[in-house]
Amino acid sequence: YDSEDLKVVRVETTDDMMKALEAESKEAHYDAIIHAAAVGDYKSDFSFLLEDLAEEIFEAKPESAEEILKIMENPQCKIYDGTKISSYQKNLTVKLTLTPKIIGKLREWFPDTLLIGCKLLENVPKEELFEVATRLAKKNDMDYIMANDLADLRKGLPARYLVTKDGFTGNTLETPEKIFEFVNEQLR
């Protein structure tokens, strides 16, 4: 969609996106933001070899599941970024950690902006999709959530169900043009 009123900011990581959005909030005013990014819920924290972790746990002689978990959360056997890892390692493991939830910062950064988020689930009843999107709108003070089902998208059904803090609005936006028409109507 080409328009001088539309700004696209390209990023590669969740951290990049977080920084870019915060910077934009300080530099300019936006009438509307569609936060349509499929931001990864996790990022790598560190890697390790399973045999090294097993040895570390064995040597520590933990007496409870909590002690084992404490070792697993922050083991001494981490492989650091600068370390060369052999391409023959069979038990290389990556521990993931949660990424920050960007949608939760948008209202703080853009208090007077029309905020539209997105929620994608897969193979769920529409009622569940609407309930999850409603909770997301409430939790993050979003004006609207466009909710859709990956199973529907795979079938060529591009419906984006428009949900507010009060639930499904009854509106479905099926094309980018319909989304932009809806945003324009809200801004009038």
Side-chain angles (χ1 to χ4, degrees):
Y1 197 81
D2 189 24
S3 170
E4 60 188 49
D5 294 330
L6 178 69
K7 181 172 185 178
V8 176
V9 178
R10 299 198 186 284
V11 295
E12 290 189 22
T13 68
T14 303
D15 290 334
D16 290 349
M17 183 179 290
M18 189 83 125
K19 290 173 188 167
L21 281 165
E22 186 173 18
E24 287 295 323
S25 75
K26 295 173 183 173
E27 293 173 12
H29 170 76
Y30 291 91
D31 296 322
I33 292 176
I34 300 174
H35 183 61
V39 177
D41 291 328
Y42 297 92
K43 65 180 179 178
S44 64
D45 192 5
F46 58 84
S47 8
F48 59 93
L49 298 177
L50 281 177
E51 53 269 26
D52 292 346
L53 182 60
E55 182 70 23
E56 187 174 327
I57 291 170
F58 179 77
E59 288 178 5
K61 299 185 182 355
E63 296 183 14
S64 67
E66 290 81 17
E67 288 180 20
I68 294 171
L69 183 59
K70 187 175 180 182
I71 294 168
M72 293 174 74
E73 288 176 336
N74 191 21
Q76 300 300 307
C77 62
K78 293 178 191 172
I79 299 173
Y80 292 94
D81 290 341
T83 305
K84 168 71 174 103
I85 299 171
S86 168
S87 57
Y88 299 102
Q89 294 292 349
K90 289 184 354 186
N91 293 316
L92 180 63
T93 306
V94 178
K95 180 187 177 287
L96 301 176
T97 189
L98 287 168
T99 58
K101 292 293 184 191
I102 294 171
I103 196 170
K105 295 294 223 170
L106 293 177
R107 183 58 67 197
E108 174 188 332
W109 291 336
F110 302 95
D112 302 320
T113 300
L114 173 68
L115 296 178
I116 301 173
C118 295
K119 186 63 186 176
L120 176 68
L121 296 179
E122 185 172 12
N123 280 325
V124 297
K126 294 299 179 260
E127 264 319 300
E128 182 179 341
L129 179 63
F130 301 156
E131 287 171 15
V132 170
T134 300
R135 284 196 305 270
L136 184 66
K138 287 178 183 176
K139 180 179 178 183
N140 297 290
D141 197 16
M142 300 296 286
D143 297 301
Y144 294 94
I145 299 292
M146 291 187 294
N148 50 17
D149 187 317
L150 187 57
D152 290 343
L153 294 175
R154 288 185 175 139
K155 293 176 198 166
L157 306 170
R160 292 160 193 93
Y161 303 97
L162 208 54
V163 177
T164 67
K165 297 170 193 165
D166 298 322
F168 178 48
T169 63
N171 293 334
T172 303
L173 306 172
E174 296 188 359
T175 65
E177 292 78 19
K178 293 289 183 192
I179 294 169
F180 287 110
E181 286 173 19
F182 172 78
V183 170
N184 284 332
E185 288 172 13
Q186 297 306 303
L187 295 177
R188 288 188 190 134

